[in-house]
Amino acid sequence: MENGSENDAAGLAAELQDLVSDLMVRPDREQVASEIGVLQSIYGDSAIRLWHPRGGSPEHSISERRHASNGETAETIRYVVFLNLASYEDVSIRILVSLPPSYPASSSPQLQLLSRYIGAFGVDASLFGSILRTFISASGIEWSPDTICVFDGLQSVLERCEAWYEDKLSREKVGELRREDTLAREQQQEEALKDEGAEALSIPRSGPLPQDAALPEGIKLTQAEPIMDRRSVFVGRACRISHPSQVPLILNHLMSDRHIARAAHPVINAWRCQVGNVLHQDNDDDGETAAGSRLAHLLSILEINDVLVVVTRWFGGIHLGPDRFKHINHAARNALEVGGFLDQIEDPAKGGKSAAKGRKR
């Protein structure tokens, strides 16, 4: 079996070499032959294969090419390039390259995506269409006569396919998070029903706060849409508080969610609470150095009191550097906006403050 595969590979390589040799002796096609050699040196000898119509044989294709009218190679040259996405080496695509007889003198190439799937996702018409328009779209690759440009086109296709694939992964991840959140809530509801049954039977409780503790009475958590970057996920939550003693109860409630508890940094948080004439405030990095103090600074410059903001980060395996702090702050601010806390901020257009700003509780 292995010998058969080796023979097939050798036959394909010999077929391509025959084409290159034919083209090298033709002044009008020498550039095409040289370009194929450059592509082989970049992507590997086995990455490029001649394309044959379904049902056609290599021998028939080469015979037609060699015996075209007047002994010239007049037909369009077509070959397939097999490439892997740069950031996902296990995900491959196939691109058909078509070179008209007048390329590169007065015509550009045409690229076509042959892959029906990229990874586990079926390719949609918009991606197929954008690749077909690589050299004819204003947002594609600029081509000028007598310029070989297949490499630039292939790199553009790789970038677009990778961006498309990452978008599909992000959408799938958001869907998974929502399904896991739904499952976690259902499990919490089941556990709450068990707890209610235990209380009805007057079963005594003692010791530390239970891990499935409910939120303090009157507390309502708001949650913003997830922020995703390079497989990391950031989710912001916020709620109004009336006393510092509520903070550990709320954080304990969040940590009772198994999905949140499995995050790299489950409860990065900061809070401010006015009790009488005293403003209480604190923050916690939860392992993400300096993240808590940045959230505290956000609350300070927004001048929002009586609020707890919490950001959960799931690490995707790729270090984000300083971008992680930007996402943490954005997740927190989004949660504050969803919760209506930004209504307290001064409106510059009106030259003053809203009635809610700076209100002490």
Side-chain angles (χ1 to χ4, degrees), residues 1-17 40 45-50:
M1 193 71 175
E2 291 181 0
N3 289 336
S5 299
E6 291 176 359
N7 291 336
D8 290 343
L12 292 170
E15 176 190 3
L16 183 63
Q17 188 55 49
Q40 285 182 300
D45 291 343
S46 61
I48 303 175
R49 302 176 187 175
L50 287 186

Side-chain angles (χ1 to χ4, degrees), residues 13-35:
E15 176 190 3
L16 183 63
Q17 188 55 49
D18 284 345
L19 170 65
V20 171
S21 298
D22 287 348
L23 298 176
M24 284 297 292
V25 299
R26 292 182 49 80
D28 61 326
R29 300 303 251 173
E30 185 178 355
Q31 281 184 293
V32 173
S34 298
E35 184 179 44

Side-chain angles (χ1 to χ4, degrees), residues 118-291:
I118 298 180
F121 306 109
V123 177
D124 51 46
S126 62
L127 183 61
F128 280 123
S130 72
I131 291 172
L132 282 172
R133 295 189 297 272
T134 295
F135 292 102
I136 60 176
S137 169
S139 60
I141 299 299
E142 184 177 354
W143 173 81
S144 56
D146 292 316
T147 303
I148 57 174
C149 55
V150 172
F151 172 74
D152 292 336
L154 292 174
Q155 290 302 110
S156 174
V157 170
L158 273 176
E159 291 171 5
R160 277 177 285 163
C161 287
E162 185 162 329
W164 181 90
Y165 182 66
E166 288 182 339
D167 179 67
K168 292 295 184 183
L169 287 177
S170 296
R171 293 173 184 270
E172 183 182 56
K173 186 63 176 179
V174 169
E176 289 178 359
L177 288 174
R178 288 175 176 167
R179 287 192 292 273
E180 290 179 5
D181 284 341
T182 300
L183 179 60
R185 284 195 295 270
E186 291 174 351
Q187 291 175 339
Q188 288 173 348
Q189 290 172 356
E190 291 178 1
E191 292 170 357
L193 289 173
K194 292 178 183 178
D195 293 340
E196 290 175 3
E199 290 176 354
L201 294 171
S202 300
I203 298 176
R205 294 188 175 201
S206 61
L209 188 70
Q211 281 295 299
D212 55 350
L215 285 170
E217 185 177 357
I219 297 297
K220 181 181 178 182
L221 275 167
T222 59
Q223 178 176 315
E225 288 293 318
I227 295 173
M228 314 201 54
D229 184 7
R230 284 163 280 181
R231 306 183 194 177
S232 282
V233 182
F234 303 80
V235 174
R237 298 177 177 86
C239 65
R240 190 172 298 284
I241 59 175
S242 58
H243 195 275
S245 63
Q246 295 173 323
V247 173
L249 303 179
I250 297 168
L251 296 180
N252 189 76
H253 168 77
L254 289 172
M255 287 298 292
S256 70
D257 184 319
R258 293 181 180 86
H259 178 55
I260 294 175
R262 289 197 299 267
H265 309 287
V267 287
I268 304 167
N269 68 86
W271 58 271
R272 288 161 60 96
C273 185
Q274 185 87 23
V275 180
N277 294 323
V278 180
L279 177 63
H280 301 267
Q281 56 187 329
D282 200 1
N283 65 83
D284 187 348
D285 297 334
D286 195 22
E288 187 69 278
T289 305

